[in-house]
Amino acid sequence: MKTVKAGLHADRPVTEKRLDEAVDRGGVRRRSSLQAVSVAFQKPCLVIHFEDDSGVLLPVNLYREFDDFEPEDFTGLNIGFAGTALCHDGKDLQVSIAGMISASQPLMAMAASVIASRNGRQSSTAKAEAARANGRKGGRPRKVDPVP
């Protein structure tokens, strides 16, 4: 695990420019990260809704953090840490939503498949230029059967 040391920047004055930069960085981080907006308990699952109106059902019996929860305790769950965690103040619980999803093998397999598909469609500049050069030469050469 990578350790990041926090820096103290108390000596740097807050200017309008730095404030605008911080707001922009926060917006980029928010758009590129997991943003849950609500959680509900629908026995036997937690229903987590995201900013884009998608959602996921996670069975609570897979997570030991909820072993001591009674059905009424689930109503106290809320979204915290900028939409990245489930929190329960009465039980002093903070659980990462990404961590919960990563604990599910089928969800991780699906995520790996989606990422592989997306990465397969990407083309580097060199790859695109090579494809154009091959096109100018008439495209991919035809396969020639070896003579027996």
Side-chain angles (χ1 to χ4, degrees):
M1 179 165 81
K2 181 178 178 183
T3 303
V4 178
K5 212 170 195 183
L8 182 61
H9 301 288
D11 59 336
R12 291 178 24 191
V14 177
T15 63
E16 284 295 321
K17 180 182 176 190
R18 287 195 185 176
L19 186 59
D20 290 341
E21 289 170 354
V23 168
D24 291 342
R25 281 193 312 271
V28 168
R29 184 178 298 147
R30 184 175 164 269
R31 285 187 298 276
S32 65
S33 69
L34 187 66
Q35 292 293 309
V37 293
S38 69
V39 61
F41 180 64
Q42 191 174 35
K43 193 173 183 175
C45 295
L46 288 174
V47 182
I48 301 172
H49 295 274
F50 298 101
E51 207 169 39
D52 66 349
D53 292 330
S54 64
V56 65
L57 293 171
L58 300 172
V60 294
N61 64 342
L62 297 181
Y63 308 100
R64 65 181 184 346
E65 292 86 354
F66 301 111
D67 285 349
D68 64 340
F69 269 58
E70 297 296 327
E72 59 272 3
D73 292 332
F74 289 104
T75 60
L77 279 175
N78 55 48
I79 303 295
F81 296 97
T84 62
L86 297 181
C87 302
H88 192 289
D89 294 332
K91 298 230 181 233
D92 192 30
L93 175 76
Q94 297 86 32
V95 182
S96 162
I97 295 170
M100 292 176 69
I101 291 172
S102 69
S104 169
Q105 289 299 333
L107 287 177
M108 288 305 294
M110 181 181 63
S113 174
V114 168
I115 290 168
S117 173
R118 179 180 291 173
N119 288 343
R121 283 184 257 144
Q122 292 180 350
S123 180
S124 68
T125 306
K127 189 175 175 183
E129 181 55 40
R132 282 191 289 276
N134 285 337
R136 285 190 292 270
K137 295 178 193 174
R140 182 183 297 267
R142 294 185 185 268
K143 287 185 179 181
V144 178
D145 290 332
V147 179

